[in-house]
Amino acid sequence: MSDQRNLGLRRGGPADAAAVLRLFDDAIAWLGARGRTGQWGTAPASTDTRRIAQAEAWTTGGGLWLATLDDRPVGALVVGAATDYVPPATEPELYVNLLITARDHAGAGIGARLLAHAAELARGRGLDLLRVDCYAGDDGALVRWYERQGFTATDPFTVERPGRDPWPGQVLVRRLP
């Protein structure tokens, strides 16, 4: 487990695409080892052309932040506009497009620290609404994790995926004081 006092936070950029893909690969392997393949499947993100393009877009889009320990990325946050598959917000917001942490540091508060940074970014922009969506399948553990971080589940949704099972999702909101 990491020490929060040693956790750094820095803006990400184009040179960080491989680090984001590594975080995905580790998470996909971790989930797969637990039989939880519905969220991201079983293939490494680093070999998936769609995920590679997504990582490149995130690293060049200006919304990427990395949590680091000893200069090693152990978490990634991407904020920006909401994805097109979720219901639009009825007011200005900051949207969490990605939150992922290194599984070898699970439980160390890295995800919570990145979400706190997202809230700081939103407040700095004069926004009081932070939204995120996540995988709502299996036992709903990820939805419950976001609820423990101060989010409230609002809109469930489903992403149809040709040739694969639909992807169940959940939008969550957090009001910022």
Side-chain angles (χ1 to χ4, degrees):
M1 189 169 294
S2 67
D3 185 339
Q4 278 286 337
R5 293 172 296 189
N6 296 328
L7 187 67
L9 192 60
R10 70 169 174 84
R11 223 179 227 296
D16 296 308
V20 171
L21 290 169
R22 180 186 52 77
L23 288 167
F24 263 107
D25 286 352
D26 291 349
I28 289 167
W30 185 86
L31 289 165
R34 286 152 182 78
R36 302 174 71 93
T37 60
Q39 183 172 352
W40 289 324
T42 57
S46 59
T47 64
D48 180 335
T49 56
R50 187 180 71 80
R51 283 279 180 217
I52 293 167
Q54 191 175 46
E56 290 172 356
W58 284 331
T59 60
T60 60
L64 174 64
W65 291 85
L66 295 172
T68 61
L69 284 172
D70 299 322
D71 294 325
R72 177 180 166 256
V74 293
L77 167 75
V78 176
V79 295
T83 53
D84 59 0
Y85 54 79
V86 301
T90 57
E91 64 186 273
E93 69 174 344
L94 186 62
Y95 203 87
V96 174
N97 302 106
L98 173 68
L99 178 69
I100 190 166
T101 62
R103 297 294 73 214
D104 58 341
H105 294 283
I110 296 167
R113 175 63 187 102
L114 287 167
L115 285 176
H117 185 67
E120 292 167 14
L121 292 170
R123 283 188 207 100
R125 297 175 188 183
L127 303 171
D128 65 358
L129 180 63
L130 186 61
R131 284 198 315 159
V132 65
D133 71 80
C134 71
Y135 179 66
D138 295 322
D139 60 3
L142 190 53
V143 172
R144 288 192 307 279
W145 183 85
Y146 278 105
E147 290 173 334
R148 288 192 304 274
Q149 306 311 308
F151 286 82
T152 301
T154 57
D155 302 300
F157 64 93
T158 302
V159 176
E160 298 299 329
R161 305 181 302 175
R164 299 188 297 169
D165 290 338
W167 192 87
Q170 177 67 58
V171 176
L172 298 104
V173 302
R174 181 174 163 206
R175 291 272 167 208
L176 305 172

